[in-house]
Amino acid sequence: MIPIELDINGQTIEMEVVPDLTLLDLLRAVGVVSVKKGCGEGDCGACGVLLDGVYVKSCLILAAQASGHSVETVESLGNVEHPHPLQTAFVDAGAVQCGFCIPSMLLAAKSLIEDHPEPTVEQIREGLDGNLCRCTGYVKQIEAVQTAAAVMKEEDHD
Amino acid sequence: MTNTFSQVGTNVRKVDGMALATGGSLFVADLAPENALCGMILTSPHAHARIVRMDISKAEALDGVFAVLYHGNVPRILHTTAGQGFPEPSPYDTAMFDNKVRYVGDRVAAVAAETPEIAARALSLIEVEYEILEPVFDPVKALQPGAPIIHDEPDAHVVIPVPYDKDRNLAAFVETSVGDVDGTLARCDIVVSGTYTTQYAQHCPIEPHITLCELDPYGRVRITSSTQVPWHVRRIVAQCCEIPVRRIRVVKPRIGGGFGAKQEVLIEDVCTMLCLRSGQPVLMEYSRKDEFVSSRTRHPSVCTTTLGFSKDGKIQAIRMHMVLNTGAYGSHALTVGSNCGSKVLPMYPCEHIEFKMEGAYTNLPVGGAYRGYGATQAVFSVECLIDEVAAKLGRDPLELRVQNHIRSGMGSPIFKALGEGTEGVEMTIGSCGLPECISLGAEAIEWKKPRTSSGRKARGVGMAILMQGSSIPHVDMGAATIKLNEDGSFNLLMGATDLGTGSDTVLSQIAAEEIGVDTAMMIPLSSDTDVTPFDVGAYASSTTYLSGGAVKKAALLIRHQILEVAAEMLRCEQDKLSIEDGRILGGAKVITISDVALHSLYSHNQKQIMASASHITEKSPPPFAAHFVDVEVDLDTGFVKLLKYVSAVDCGTTIHPKLAEGQTEGATMNGISFALTEEYLFNEKGRMLNPSFGHYKIFTTADMPEMVTIMVPTYETTGPYGAKSVSEISINGALPAISNAIFNACGVRMMHGPFTPERVARALREKS
Ligand code: FES
Ligand code: FES
């Protein structure tokens, strides 16, 4: 067992884990269920989190490696009463069908907007390339990221 | 058309959208209790083998193992895993566990253990001795005399009177003909023919199959499952586990996509048995590899089609011979097979039609329901051959389609000839927006614009027209219950199964429209077998059309009840009153639905305002579509780049335009991905070599072309507020449209999917 300490959405967690526990399994075990497992092999992108602000696939990272770092998941973005502009834009654009891919895609979108505050369609396509969605055909998601980016920019100015 | 409705036709917020976008605890895996055991399945490493000895004692003895199942300790109940109406049209050829394995990935045993690690270790301790049998992988060879017999057990059988010959590996058979095809073809000026094949593919819901089974203190089993067919799950689990239906409650939470894969009762029976044996909650989930290998697939097909035309460009005869590879079990073989005919042949009405379908058992993964359901396989040949005819006649393929396609007011003998295990029903087409789909789509793709090829890049355009259905007439049934609460809100309890499609939202809109309130006043709950009424499930493009019909009927009853109470309160005639935006108008004063609810629950002559209704259908009105694609083919590498893809769809009234577009875009993208990259690779022993997203490529944002979606409004009088179906149709277009565009660009005819660079390059080499 390995002792770890990490910050999950602003809360510090200390525990002992087996060496091969993935960050994905750890997060789900402690009740952060927005992080989804679609493959466990780094291919689907349903398990994305922001590790010290960088978008990563949590099934490819060991919990032990994440020790000492901070993890952000969609729970930290907003909630039903106070959603983040990305969440509002996704829902209103019709970009959420089954929703299984969405929490992770929102984090990928947040990270890409940080890099490109006014993302072009090309930049969005590149930024979301790792997030498989079998329901939507991606059209409305690309639209939603553009809408959200515009709202976020506006909010920044205010 | 102007929208005269207040809820229908508007983009209300998807009822579950924000809960999903904020990462709520909504899916099966999120709902499992901490003490749930892990259920895991041991699968066969052999394509065809008899189990001559099995020893589970070491696995049973392992610490942390609570139950081990294999053919020696579970009842042998032959059933079908296909979630279909009862009695099912698919053969009863599957046991929970059998003493024979029929494909690599077939079930051998299952365990429930404290942790996944212990479960995996327990599986490795199960000793199995196999007698290897000769396998057969090719569906055409499987049907030939002398082929190894896959279902040699005496008890496999069909439960409805349909042809079934397991001694010939024939899982399903359909044959029908009208007119004189031979004679007509002999007289035709132009006859084209070709054999087109489609490949294995998987639905790839991002959430794989997952089921949680728990015993409650009353000894009942609660099955929380990612399923499209909760009622069929209840019935089939009861059948396989030999427990009464009343001991089972199936709850459907949010579902992470299904596309037909979850119209199958795949793991619920095993998980329930593990739960019953262990007395513990059991969570069983498929890995991505399991999902590819042991779940369900699109039946691969070999389709030989012949079209006969007169020189004036009029279609005279169609012959289609379809061989479907159903894999080791006959799940959906008959019905996918008949849909190959019924969802394609009526598109070009003529008097001479022949259709034959053979569903062959092989020792490969199992076919099943997959969005498109046979139409995908069959329309490929027909729509490519139409272009071949156009080339021979020197006609514009678009014009040729316009000259021949079905229209409003027309019928087809095929509708009656081909049902789903039973006779079909006669049908005349009501709404048909195909002409508009074609003209608007052509405009969007700039059909007439000449494309200039330069150097090694050849440009071309292609199109295809499509039809599907909306539910299965006389077979499917949907039902809904609505009840009124004090604040004027309504519980909308539906059997209909929202699997991510948005049906909770669409059906809420229909109810709200009919009652006269805002959609926000509806509280939808879909599919809990203890709570909501029955529904066959989310398949056959039935939810909006059929379940929507049930919801609309129930809502009408509710409106009457509300007005009845309101008339009593206002002391006036009921027919003077109407409901608008939650208020009762026409009386001496305006009262609200909430006033009516409070009155009816607490004041006088008390009653719960509630109503239930069921709906069946006589018709399955087809939605129609025209797909167009602009491609660039690299003549050196064979890489096909899609520059633009246009889907123009007539689904009747779009109850929720954005969701209807979303269905179209999702289906279109899946179709494109199927046409260009998706395929199963097998080794010579029948083992799938690429069961991961790393090696089975599905399209991402980086691969997608520019997509244009056009919704063509029509009004289907038999549907709720004019609606037909939308979910399946657009998966069918890419294969023929892209093949036609490649032909247009560089003159090679791709007849076998997917059109990978290697295949296209080979075809180019063969041509030159
Ligand atoms: S679970 Fe699929 S990438 Fe991590
Ligand atoms: S919305 Fe279902 S996978 Fe993306």
Side-chain angles (χ1 to χ4, degrees):
Chain A
M1 293 295 247
I2 304 176
I4 60 163
E5 183 192 323
L6 73 165
D7 182 293
I8 304 175
N9 296 327
Q11 244 190 321
T12 306
I13 304 251
E14 279 178 62
M15 61 193 291
E16 301 222 316
V17 299
V18 291
D20 58 353
L21 184 77
T22 63
L23 178 59
L24 166 61
D25 288 339
L26 170 90
L27 289 168
R28 292 199 57 91
V30 301
V32 184
V33 295
S34 70
V35 189
K36 304 296 182 200
K37 181 175 181 172
C39 69
E41 300 169 329
D43 293 327
C44 75
C47 64
V49 299
L50 299 177
L51 188 66
D52 294 336
V54 179
Y55 178 82
V56 294
K57 291 169 178 172
S58 65
C59 70
L60 293 181
I61 293 188
L62 294 175
Q65 289 175 301
S67 187
H69 299 276
S70 85
V71 176
E72 203 184 318
T73 69
V74 89
E75 280 85 348
S76 72
L77 276 193
N79 56 41
V80 173
E81 272 83 49
H82 303 287
H84 186 275
L86 267 165
Q87 291 166 317
T88 307
F90 265 61
V91 175
D92 289 344
V96 180
Q97 283 190 32
C98 81
F100 199 77
C101 68
I102 295 298
S104 179
M105 196 181 287
L106 289 168
L107 296 170
K110 181 168 184 249
S111 151
L112 96 85
I113 292 174
E114 255 149 45
D115 293 346
H116 312 283
E118 288 175 70
T120 62
V121 169
E122 270 323 301
Q123 286 162 336
I124 298 172
R125 283 181 177 213
E126 219 167 276
L128 299 185
D129 182 27
N131 297 82
L132 296 183
C133 173
R134 193 61 150 175
C135 297
T136 61
Y138 309 109
V139 178
K140 305 236 176 307
Q141 292 160 347
I142 292 172
E143 224 176 87
V145 174
Q146 288 196 302
T147 310
V151 173
M152 286 161 73
K153 199 148 185 274
E154 193 109 310
E155 282 180 2
D156 258 7
H157 283 300
D158 295 344
Chain B
M1 212 185 307
T2 54
N3 187 0
T4 54
F5 305 123
S6 76
Q7 303 301 310
V8 162
T10 66
N11 290 313
V12 300
R13 186 172 265 198
K14 187 163 177 284
V15 294
D16 52 350
M18 200 50 89
L20 289 163
T22 51
S25 198
L26 295 163
F27 295 90
V28 177
D30 311 343
L31 303 169
E34 235 170 80
N35 65 338
L37 301 178
C38 166
M40 215 179 259
I41 295 185
L42 178 71
T43 59
S44 163
H46 304 298
H48 199 190
R50 208 172 297 284
I51 297 172
V52 288
R53 193 185 65 87
M54 248 179 108
D55 185 353
I56 60 164
S57 56
K58 291 202 184 98
E60 278 185 314
L62 187 68
D63 240 9
V65 172
F66 283 72
V68 182
L69 306 177
Y70 77 117
H71 69 270
N73 66 6
V74 298
R76 178 186 166 81
I77 314 265
L78 285 187
H79 66 284
T80 175
T81 55
Q84 298 180 297
F86 180 81
E88 302 94 333
S90 296
Y92 281 18
D93 59 5
T94 309
M96 191 184 292
F97 297 99
D98 206 351
N99 61 359
K100 191 179 179 189
V101 289
R102 300 178 177 85
Y103 73 106
V104 177
D106 208 351
R107 298 168 177 182
V108 175
V111 301
E114 249 161 40
T115 65
E117 293 72 31
I118 300 174
R121 169 116 183 84
L123 292 184
S124 72
L125 290 173
I126 296 175
E127 293 170 14
V128 193
E129 203 180 299
Y130 294 98
E131 175 201 334
I132 310 283
L133 305 170
E134 188 195 337
V136 56
F137 300 128
D138 181 311
V140 176
K141 285 193 186 130
L143 292 171
Q144 282 161 7
I149 304 304
I150 294 164
H151 285 272
D152 54 356
E153 68 280 14
D155 44 357
H157 64 287
V158 281
V159 287
I160 59 166
V162 287
Y164 178 64
D165 190 353
K166 60 187 161 53
D167 300 333
R168 287 209 300 123
N169 292 323
L170 187 71
F173 181 78
V174 175
E175 193 168 32
T176 192
S177 76
V178 291
D180 168 20
V181 171
D182 273 334
T184 310
L185 285 177
R187 285 190 298 275
C188 276
D189 303 310
I190 299 205
V191 176
V192 294
S193 187
T195 298
Y196 290 74
T197 65
T198 63
Q199 71 277 21
Y200 265 106
Q202 221 272 332
H203 317 61
C204 302
I206 305 301
E207 176 201 43
H209 282 75
I210 180 164
T211 294
L212 168 68
C213 294
E214 301 163 279
L215 278 175
D216 76 5
Y218 300 93
R220 299 180 74 222
V221 191
R222 179 192 168 107
I223 304 173
T224 308
S225 195
S226 183
T227 179
Q228 298 173 227
V229 286
W231 271 268
H232 299 329
V233 167
R234 187 175 66 170
R235 193 188 73 242
I236 293 172
V237 168
Q239 179 189 13
C240 295
C241 298
E242 296 188 300
I243 56 174
V245 161
R246 63 180 175 278
R247 260 189 85 187
I248 304 169
R249 174 180 187 178
V250 180
V251 178
K252 176 213 72 84
R254 303 327 291 172
I255 303 303
F259 318 110
K262 293 172 182 169
Q263 194 197 332
E264 202 78 9
V265 184
L266 268 188
I267 53 174
E268 288 93 343
D269 58 337
V270 178
C271 194
T272 301
M273 197 55 116
L274 288 170
C275 172
L276 290 170
R277 292 278 166 94
S278 66
Q280 306 286 319
V282 180
L283 180 71
M284 183 173 253
E285 53 186 320
Y286 265 181
S287 67
R288 182 55 57 189
K289 180 177 168 213
D290 296 331
E291 191 65 31
F292 277 111
V293 175
S294 300
S295 170
R296 294 295 176 256
T297 62
R298 186 184 294 292
H299 292 89
S301 67
V302 181
C303 185
T304 304
T305 301
T306 306
L307 304 181
F309 275 73
S310 49
K311 59 176 175 301
D312 60 354
K314 220 34 224 141
I315 189 155
Q316 304 297 333
I318 313 179
R319 168 180 288 145
M320 180 181 285
H321 180 188
M322 174 64 86
V323 177
L324 286 184
N325 176 1
T326 190
Y329 298 96
S331 168
H332 295 272
L334 177 73
T335 41
V336 166
S338 34
N339 274 273
C340 290
S342 64
K343 301 289 186 280
V344 174
L345 299 175
M347 238 161 42
Y348 295 107
C350 61
E351 276 159 36
H352 309 280
I353 308 172
E354 236 176 70
F355 175 71
K356 179 165 142 187
M357 184 286 296
E358 294 164 289
Y361 285 125
T362 64
N363 294 110
L364 286 175
V366 185
Y370 190 161
R371 196 178 206 176
Y373 207 81
T376 319
Q377 288 93 324
V379 80
F380 179 31
S381 64
V382 170
E383 281 303 277
C384 289
L385 288 168
I386 291 284
D387 269 41
E388 299 283 312
V389 173
K392 287 210 155 121
L393 285 167
R395 296 268 309 267
D396 177 350
L398 182 148
E399 308 274 303
L400 191 67
R401 286 181 174 85
V402 170
Q403 185 184 350
N404 286 287
H405 72 67
I406 195 164
R407 289 177 160 68
S408 187
M410 291 168 113
S412 164
I414 289 297
F415 289 132
K416 175 125 178 89
L418 288 178
E420 305 223 352
T422 51
E423 224 189 18
V425 290
E426 225 165 298
M427 187 166 68
T428 311
I429 298 296
S431 60
C432 177
L434 208 36
E436 296 79 8
C437 288
I438 293 174
S439 60
L440 292 172
E443 200 177 299
I445 205 82
E446 301 175 275
W447 180 256
K448 294 259 186 237
K449 188 183 84 178
R451 264 99 181 146
T452 40
S453 302
S454 61
R456 49 185 260 208
K457 302 285 170 81
R459 287 278 299 275
V461 279
M463 70 173 291
I465 60 171
L466 312 165
M467 62 173 273
Q468 197 82 32
S470 307
S471 76
I472 314 172
H474 294 307
V475 173
D476 289 345
M477 190 274 274
T481 296
I482 304 177
K483 62 191 177 71
L484 173 61
N485 301 313
E486 286 105 317
D487 61 348
S489 67
F490 299 85
N491 294 105
L492 171 57
L493 310 175
M494 300 168 286
T497 306
D498 190 331
L499 61 145
T501 48
S503 68
D504 280 359
T505 306
V506 165
L507 297 177
S508 293
Q509 285 176 278
I510 291 174
E513 182 72 49
E514 188 67 29
I515 298 172
V517 296
D518 194 88
T519 303
M521 299 311 277
M522 306 308 302
I523 310 162
L525 175 72
S526 54
S527 309
D528 174 335
T529 58
D530 269 12
V531 179
T532 69
F534 180 91
D535 191 289
V536 286
Y539 58 86
S541 282
S542 64
T543 303
T544 301
Y545 182 74
L546 184 86
S547 309
V551 166
K552 187 163 184 284
K553 276 186 189 168
L556 177 65
L557 295 172
I558 286 284
R559 177 149 58 91
H560 284 316
Q561 289 183 28
I562 292 170
L563 291 177
E564 195 182 306
V565 175
E568 195 181 288
M569 291 167 71
L570 296 166
R571 293 178 218 286
C572 68
E573 296 289 314
Q574 190 181 323
D575 57 14
K576 301 252 173 339
L577 301 176
S578 63
I579 308 178
E580 213 173 279
D581 201 13
R583 295 168 313 147
I584 321 290
L585 308 179
K589 60 176 182 176
V590 173
I591 59 173
T592 65
I593 289 186
S594 173
D595 296 332
V596 172
L598 286 165
H599 182 86
S600 71
L601 290 171
Y602 298 112
S603 296
H604 179 66
N605 217 354
Q606 288 96 317
K607 68 167 179 182
Q608 166 73 62
I609 291 182
M610 67 184 295
S612 297
S614 306
H615 192 59
I616 55 169
T617 160
E618 306 281 311
K619 275 185 79 171
S620 178
F624 294 96
H627 282 200
F628 294 82
V629 62
D630 191 343
V631 306
E632 183 184 84
V633 183
D634 184 318
L635 299 174
D636 284 354
T637 64
F639 183 78
V640 179
K641 184 174 180 192
L642 304 195
L643 302 173
K644 187 174 187 174
Y645 197 104
V646 178
S647 310
V649 183
D650 150 31
C651 63
T653 300
T654 50
I655 306 283
H656 189 298
K658 276 196 179 157
L659 288 177
E661 283 166 24
Q663 284 295 310
T664 302
E665 288 154 3
T668 298
M669 186 66 81
N670 191 334
I672 293 173
S673 187
F674 175 59
L676 292 181
T677 70
E678 295 180 32
E679 65 181 322
Y680 278 35
L681 305 173
F682 295 102
N683 71 4
E684 71 289 351
K685 297 207 161 114
R687 189 167 63 82
M688 185 187 183
L689 297 172
N690 58 333
S692 73
F693 285 139
H695 298 100
Y696 178 102
K697 160 97 184 139
I698 73 174
F699 263 41
T700 71
T701 45
D703 310 301
M704 59 190 286
E706 183 192 345
M707 307 259 288
V708 179
T709 303
I710 302 168
M711 305 309 293
V712 171
T714 63
Y715 197 93
E716 172 59 39
T717 50
T718 64
Y721 296 107
K724 300 188 280 192
S725 81
V726 68
S727 58
E728 293 190 81
I729 185 167
S730 285
I731 203 168
N732 304 328
L735 212 44
I738 296 173
S739 177
N740 286 338
I742 295 171
F743 184 77
N744 182 251
C746 56
V748 302
R749 171 56 68 189
M750 300 306 297
M751 300 166 81
H752 314 290
F755 314 139
T756 56
E758 301 74 53
R759 278 207 184 86
V760 176
R762 198 181 325 131
L764 282 162
R765 276 198 306 276
E766 277 161 18
K767 184 193 151 218
S768 61

